[in-house]
Amino acid sequence: MQLEQLLQKHFGYPSFRPGQKEVIEQLLNGRDTIALLPTGMGKSLCYQLPAYILNKPVLIISPLLSLMQDQVDQMKQFGEKRAVALNSFLNRQQKQHVMNSLHNFRFIFISPEMLVQPQVKNRLNQLELALIVVDEAHCISQWGFDFRPDYLKIGDVLKENRPPVLALSATATEKVLEDIRRFLKMKEPFEYIHSVDRPNIRYGKKIFPSKEEKTQWLLNHVSHTQGPGIIYTRSRKRTDEIASLLLELGLSASSYHGGKDAEDRQFIQQQFIEGALDWIVATNAFGMGVHKADVRQIIHDTMPSNVADYMQEVGRAGRDGKDAVAILLYSDGDEEVVRFIAGEDLPNEAQMELYDEYVRRNIHPKEMMHNGLISETSFRVLHYWMGLYPKEQVKSIFRQMVMEKYRSINDMLSIIKSEGCIREQLVHYFGQKLERKPEHCCEHCGIDYGEFLLPRTETHLKKKTFTWQIRLRQILLGTD
Amino acid sequence: MIFRYLVLDILKILQKERTISSPYHLLKGKRSGQTIQDVGIFRLHPYFGILPKLSRNKYDEEIQNLVEQHFIHITKKSFQLTEKGLRFLRQHEPLPLNGWQYRGNEHIFFSRLSLIVQSLSHAREEVMSFNPIQKDESVQQWVRSFLIKNHYKSGLLAHNLYDEMLQSLGRAKISEQAKEIVVKRLTGIRMPGFTWEQISRELEMPELDVQIMYVACLHQWLNEILVGKGQYPYLFEMAQDIRVEVPLTESAYHTVLLFRQGYSIEQISRIRKLKKSTIEDHLVELAINDPSFPIERFIKREDIEQVLKAVQHYQSKKLKFLHEALPHLSYFQLRLALVRGETVCN
């Protein structure tokens, strides 16, 4: 049977999206493959179809527990019951049950820390797998923006006689690609790299002499143009500040950050998706797992810390394929704040000394975290490296990492400061060539914002206040 | 205003007796011997653990305001309400809270309810996949089995639950405004819930006050559900294991089991490898909670009367004073007398 027929049979789609067919063909030929496909381009189909064709289990290594659960839930919603997530959320009994019936599953999602457990490793080695998939593969590279030390161990688990490996990611620079090939021990992999360019997004940029003028411009812009939109900021405080200013202007907006109550965060997402809320002012905590196709504007209140983050955040606009605008705001000295924050995420030298001291005094270094002397993220990274190398070497590794972060910030900054085409520079950053420039390409090529941004229509939404009895009835019974 | 009332009311009860931090520990629901005993000695049951997430900064800020606006003044070891502070208390209604019995479990009840409501709302339109409002796996599992057991697909469950909620919440002894708040925290298909900030802006009330009203409303609602259990079978099921019937800390519970088997304090201390004073703490905790606790086994009736007289005379329940006045009684005996003395003598 042709691949298209199989696609129709198993998924009901008449044709592939760009890249899917190429990737699947290579995998069926037994070749290791790296696929860089933007979010929303059907990455998961690249391993789902081969699973049905080869009729053997597929192992999917995934970094985020919540993402993993989402994927399993989604598969189940579409009728695939033979999907399971092996992660630390399972209790011992559940884990044992899954382990015993592992061969019955078609899709086995697993976290990297679970993968290296001897019991799990042995069990997986007994299985005949169709494929090994490494999702969010850029996490393996310490040059990536999302480095997870646990990912490095994946390579150790792969035996000589293994099925093909598929590494998936949305964005990766050449340096990150190199790491993926090396740490996953890939053999002359086939690489499908989709253009990172999103032609329907226009890249705007505004430079201001001061933060006050920037804020003024932002408020004015948002009051006069139509959303829905997301405003990204760098701090919780700034997020709340802008949201309050917008609310005072009578706009429908809310702030969103990790400091909010979990239910509140859900309410905000739901209000935004359903159009009850026009603007979200968020830290980078917002976005993952939020599917809204008609976001028309993304505004960066300050510069992002690297180009990959920027692309990911901008990529949340115009998923419906219609025109969208991304505007980056910059005022002199913004990079100083970004540099300061970049250093904060990583363990500092005092913490490394302390770690050493804890070990010498026979106290588990984890206590540093419990004593509030280090953040959880920093500890995770520190613990990994201190387990591998002596202190002095770790110090120099981290010095290098900080330098690397600063370099990423400078890369972003030079795009902001340059007078060249923004789109071209973004695409070049990922080692790709821009095929075609759309009209109204970017700030430097010239954008007529009026073409893309509708003037804000004053929505005189009468705020209907219901009694609790009526609200309850509408929620449960749906009638007035 | 509500938060201020709460803090002032507790301060009034504890004035001259305790430090300025005591109300903070009480509101947070700190499980220390001191805080738990204070609940018993000063009858602070309603306020225990009402605001488990209250930050120290927020609390200190309020105290600062109370001092600057002359509601209280801080003394060397304690503090005292001013006439202005007392007047403020008289002008406000207390909220019907029940912290001691619910211990924050009211939030478990609400998570079950809100996920059930969200599921039923989507099921009505045959939307079977949505982003669940509750992420806690144990809540999700509880709800899943509740829905299956009660045949949620028939549509009857939604109607019956609606009737139960309308009736029971209608009867809960609390303001309509508090009920509005609770229902605004529910979410359904095309009807997202409202954030604390949004409710606070709409009602022009600080966020913390909105949250306290919400907790008070859940307490009153649960009271109604648990009392009228036959009338509200579904809600009653959701309220299972929510009220703490013997509200003891885990460790105290083990001590009590041994105590009821007839072991003495010394024996229990040896068996459990705990200090004698810890075992005594546990027994005081039991005395606070169990009206049938045989306090006379540890202190004579005449001695109890003496303690109560001393409290009257010195106008204080400070153990240090009482111990100086009645040196023949141990701290343990004094604490028992304070916690349960009145019930024994009256």
Side-chain angles (χ1 to χ4, degrees):
Chain A
M1 235 193 280
Q2 290 280 312
L3 275 183
E4 273 83 1
Q5 286 171 299
L6 288 162
L7 178 71
Q8 179 76 41
K9 180 181 159 206
H10 291 286
F11 293 90
Y13 304 142
S15 61
F16 286 103
R17 304 181 68 173
Q20 289 176 335
K21 191 177 177 186
E22 293 87 329
V23 169
I24 292 170
E25 276 173 347
Q26 295 295 331
L27 289 171
L28 293 177
N29 286 337
R31 187 162 173 201
D32 288 347
T33 300
I34 301 177
L36 299 190
L37 290 168
T39 322
M41 288 290 286
K43 257 186 289 184
S44 52
L45 190 101
C46 296
Y47 60 81
Q48 285 176 3
L49 188 58
Y52 290 105
I53 297 174
L54 298 169
N55 203 20
K56 278 185 243 166
V58 170
L59 182 72
I60 303 122
I61 305 162
S62 181
L64 291 173
L65 296 183
S66 54
L67 205 64
M68 200 188 294
Q69 202 53 52
D70 269 6
Q71 286 167 312
V72 172
D73 290 348
Q74 256 176 35
M75 283 197 168
K76 288 189 176 165
Q77 278 164 26
F78 288 110
E80 176 53 82
K81 304 289 176 205
R82 290 164 63 185
V84 69
L86 249 178
N87 55 37
S88 46
F89 284 165
L90 300 178
N91 63 34
R92 231 177 57 177
Q93 214 180 348
Q94 291 169 318
K95 186 180 153 194
Q96 204 50 52
H97 176 76
V98 173
M99 291 286 282
N100 290 338
S101 50
L102 212 52
H103 52 281
N104 289 327
F105 290 101
R106 198 187 289 280
F107 298 100
I108 304 164
F109 289 84
I110 193 167
S111 58
E113 64 271 18
M114 198 59 122
L115 189 65
V116 292
Q117 288 181 9
Q119 185 204 8
V120 179
K121 209 164 117 181
N122 289 338
R123 184 75 182 86
L124 285 172
N125 277 337
Q126 291 165 6
L127 285 182
E128 203 183 321
L129 296 169
L131 275 182
I132 296 173
V133 182
V134 181
D135 204 0
E136 311 289 341
H138 58 269
C139 295
I140 207 166
S141 169
Q142 53 166 304
W143 311 122
F145 53 94
D146 220 3
F147 174 51
R148 309 240 153 192
D150 274 330
Y151 252 49
L152 286 175
K153 296 178 193 153
I154 298 175
D156 305 339
V157 182
L158 301 173
K159 14 166 228 182
E160 208 26 59
N161 174 27
R162 59 164 172 78
V165 171
L166 168 64
L168 291 170
S169 181
T171 46
T173 58
E174 182 47 41
K175 211 164 182 183
V176 173
L177 276 174
E178 242 174 66
D179 278 353
I180 293 177
R181 285 181 214 119
R182 183 156 57 100
F183 290 119
L184 293 180
K185 301 176 182 160
M186 295 180 107
K187 302 159 200 159
E188 295 172 8
F190 169 74
E191 293 175 13
Y192 181 86
I193 293 169
H194 191 278
S195 170
V196 292
D197 183 40
R198 293 276 307 278
N200 64 324
I201 299 177
R202 323 283 146 164
Y203 298 98
K205 178 181 88 177
K206 302 280 170 203
I207 292 183
F208 302 91
S210 73
K211 196 177 157 192
E212 289 68 35
E213 279 159 278
K214 183 160 81 175
T215 309
Q216 220 36 57
W217 183 91
L218 177 65
L219 295 181
N220 187 50
H221 176 83
V222 174
S223 319
H224 290 100
T225 56
Q226 189 97 306
I230 307 169
I231 299 166
Y232 279 107
T233 73
R234 291 240 44 124
S235 73
R236 292 177 181 181
K237 201 173 135 235
R238 177 75 174 153
T239 305
D240 288 335
E241 194 179 291
I242 295 176
S244 310
L245 289 169
L246 294 177
L247 282 170
E248 275 158 35
L249 290 170
L251 289 147
S252 134
S254 176
S255 65
Y256 184 104
H257 52 70
K260 295 223 167 208
D261 186 284
E263 283 176 10
D264 276 2
R265 292 205 301 262
Q266 293 278 320
F267 292 155
I268 296 167
Q269 282 189 20
Q270 204 187 342
Q271 291 173 5
F272 187 57
I273 290 170
E274 292 181 5
L277 202 57
D278 290 336
W279 288 91
I280 293 225
V281 192
T283 59
N284 57 7
F286 183 78
M288 194 84 91
V290 180
H291 306 290
K292 183 175 171 71
D294 64 343
V295 175
R296 298 272 74 88
Q297 298 201 51
I298 303 279
I299 299 176
H300 279 84
D301 169 57
T302 185
M303 65 173 291
S305 55
N306 60 62
V307 181
D309 277 1
Y310 180 67
M311 290 302 267
Q312 198 164 40
E313 285 161 8
V314 162
R316 296 194 175 116
R319 293 258 173 95
D320 54 6
K322 294 181 190 158
D323 287 316
V325 172
I327 306 175
L328 196 157
L329 312 183
Y330 172 84
S331 63
D332 268 337
D334 277 358
E335 64 272 24
E336 294 306 325
V337 184
V338 180
R339 279 195 194 117
F340 177 75
I341 298 172
E344 262 190 338
D345 298 349
L346 288 175
N348 56 39
E349 304 211 342
Q351 286 165 333
M352 290 173 219
E353 294 291 346
L354 202 62
Y355 185 103
D356 219 34
E357 198 186 313
Y358 270 61
V359 174
R360 258 187 288 119
R361 284 164 43 201
N362 228 345
I363 311 171
H364 196 290
K366 245 193 183 147
E367 290 303 313
M368 290 170 68
M369 207 160 65
H370 300 149
N371 296 336
L373 298 168
I374 189 168
S375 75
E376 207 190 315
T377 355
S378 299
F379 179 78
R380 201 174 58 199
V381 180
L382 179 62
H383 188 57
Y384 173 78
W385 290 106
M386 291 295 280
L388 282 183
Y389 303 111
K391 185 180 68 197
E392 289 312 315
Q393 207 171 335
V394 175
K395 275 188 188 172
S396 89
I397 291 172
F398 280 110
R399 251 176 255 141
Q400 219 180 325
M401 278 193 210
V402 173
M403 290 315 293
E404 195 58 35
K405 282 199 169 196
Y406 284 178
R407 217 180 54 102
S408 305
I409 293 170
N410 286 342
D411 288 345
M412 187 71 225
L413 191 63
S414 71
I415 295 180
I416 294 170
K417 296 239 158 143
S418 146
E419 298 289 313
C421 170
I422 300 173
R423 184 182 308 273
E424 210 162 61
Q425 294 183 70
L426 290 172
V427 172
H428 284 174
Y429 181 82
F430 292 97
Q432 300 181 4
K433 258 179 75 179
L434 184 61
E435 304 290 334
R436 201 181 69 83
K437 270 193 202 180
E439 273 185 69
H440 303 278
C441 167
C442 72
E443 197 70 41
H444 295 299
C445 301
I447 310 178
D448 178 0
Y449 285 101
E451 290 258 330
F452 303 102
L453 296 177
L454 296 170
R456 188 168 87 94
T457 42
E458 290 276 339
T459 37
H460 285 292
L461 267 179
K462 255 184 245 152
K463 262 206 178 163
K464 278 190 254 172
T465 34
F466 302 121
T467 61
W468 65 265
Q469 290 93 338
I470 293 176
R471 177 171 165 80
L472 196 57
R473 191 163 68 204
Q474 284 184 336
I475 292 178
L476 272 172
L477 309 180
T479 47
D480 283 303
Chain B
M1 278 306 149
I2 298 173
F3 180 55
R4 167 162 295 187
Y5 177 88
L6 235 58
V7 172
L8 262 185
D9 196 33
I10 302 168
L11 287 173
K12 187 185 115 192
I13 298 170
L14 295 178
Q15 65 180 339
K16 292 189 256 173
E17 305 273 354
R18 291 286 181 267
T19 67
I20 200 77
S21 297
S22 306
Y24 174 71
H25 298 312
L26 179 74
L27 287 168
K28 290 268 289 185
K30 188 175 175 191
R31 294 185 175 208
S32 71
Q34 176 78 71
T35 303
I36 288 175
Q37 268 176 51
D38 281 356
V39 168
I41 295 176
F42 298 102
R43 314 247 172 266
L44 288 164
H45 301 80
Y47 296 143
F48 183 78
I50 290 298
L51 296 169
K53 289 185 197 154
L54 179 64
S55 74
R56 184 72 205 211
N57 276 349
K58 184 81 201 166
Y59 176 78
D60 287 344
E61 201 181 290
E62 185 63 33
I63 293 294
Q64 185 78 23
N65 288 337
L66 287 173
V67 173
E68 277 166 14
Q69 295 168 32
H70 308 291
F71 284 84
I72 56 171
H73 61 86
I74 308 266
T75 58
K76 215 199 253 156
K77 282 181 182 160
S78 189
F79 52 85
Q80 210 171 346
L81 264 67
T82 62
E83 189 42 48
K84 190 179 173 192
L86 292 168
R87 206 176 328 123
F88 177 89
L89 279 181
R90 284 194 298 271
Q91 284 160 353
H92 289 80
E93 286 281 310
L95 268 184
L97 289 156
N98 207 346
W100 187 250
Q101 262 173 331
Y102 293 115
R103 296 278 169 102
N105 289 347
E106 64 272 15
H107 298 294
I108 299 177
F109 164 75
F110 189 79
S111 349
R112 291 172 182 170
L113 177 70
S114 76
L115 187 53
I116 288 170
V117 166
Q118 188 194 20
S119 311
L120 290 174
S121 178
H122 283 81
R124 190 188 74 229
E125 305 204 1
E126 282 168 42
V127 177
M128 300 323 271
S129 69
F130 55 88
N131 192 353
I133 183 74
Q134 302 298 337
K135 300 293 176 198
D136 183 324
E137 188 66 26
S138 64
V139 170
Q140 289 187 0
Q141 257 170 27
W142 195 96
V143 167
R144 212 170 286 140
S145 63
F146 175 92
L147 289 173
I148 292 168
K149 195 175 89 189
N150 293 302
H151 313 289
Y152 72 103
K153 278 184 182 161
S154 74
L156 259 171
L157 180 58
H159 276 91
N160 290 337
L161 182 60
Y162 169 70
D163 286 342
E164 281 190 16
M165 288 173 77
L166 199 64
Q167 294 247 349
S168 55
L169 188 55
R171 285 187 192 139
K173 294 179 189 68
I174 195 152
S175 68
E176 287 300 293
Q177 197 177 44
K179 297 174 189 178
E180 306 279 347
I181 294 173
V182 166
V183 176
K184 276 192 159 55
R185 297 292 294 179
L186 290 171
T187 198
I189 189 163
R190 289 187 307 279
M191 295 205 63
F194 295 90
T195 65
W196 295 119
E197 194 197 358
Q198 288 166 338
I199 300 174
S200 133
R201 277 177 193 269
E202 193 192 321
L203 301 180
E204 293 173 355
M205 197 192 264
E207 270 182 50
L208 203 51
D209 286 7
V210 173
Q211 289 169 359
I212 297 168
M213 281 181 77
Y214 165 86
V215 169
C217 184
L218 289 182
H219 288 173
Q220 289 309 306
W221 192 8
L222 280 162
N223 283 352
E224 173 61 29
I225 291 167
L226 293 170
V227 169
K229 55 181 163 186
Q231 289 166 272
Y232 321 117
Y234 293 126
L235 289 170
F236 186 72
E237 197 180 331
M238 290 176 223
Q240 279 310 293
D241 316 315
I242 293 302
R243 186 142 143 176
V244 185
E245 293 305 340
V246 186
L248 291 180
T249 54
E250 179 78 17
S251 182
Y253 178 72
H254 289 294
T255 296
V256 167
L257 288 184
L258 292 170
F259 177 72
R260 291 206 170 128
Q261 285 169 37
Y263 290 101
S264 71
I265 293 181
E266 288 74 15
Q267 284 170 319
I268 299 174
S269 150
R270 233 173 298 124
I271 296 170
R272 298 209 57 207
K273 299 197 177 65
L274 291 171
K275 274 190 280 183
K276 195 173 153 224
S277 62
T278 308
I279 305 298
E280 289 175 352
D281 282 347
H282 292 162
L283 292 181
V284 173
E285 208 184 314
L286 177 64
I288 293 169
N289 287 293
D290 179 5
S292 67
F293 180 82
I295 161 173
E296 294 93 334
R297 259 179 65 181
F298 300 100
I299 175 169
K300 283 192 292 237
R301 220 190 140 94
E302 305 89 87
D303 286 332
I304 299 175
E305 275 166 23
Q306 273 195 349
V307 174
L308 296 180
K309 267 189 211 139
V311 169
Q312 277 291 321
H313 183 76
Y314 293 102
Q315 278 299 302
S316 172
K317 290 181 176 177
K318 258 208 173 124
L319 291 172
K320 218 175 126 206
F321 290 160
L322 296 173
H323 190 61
E324 276 165 23
L326 305 165
H328 68 290
L329 294 177
S330 71
Y331 278 103
F332 177 52
Q333 289 172 312
L334 287 171
R335 278 149 65 197
L336 285 178
L338 286 176
V339 167
R340 290 286 318 285
E342 287 161 43
T343 41
V344 173
C345 292
N346 300 335

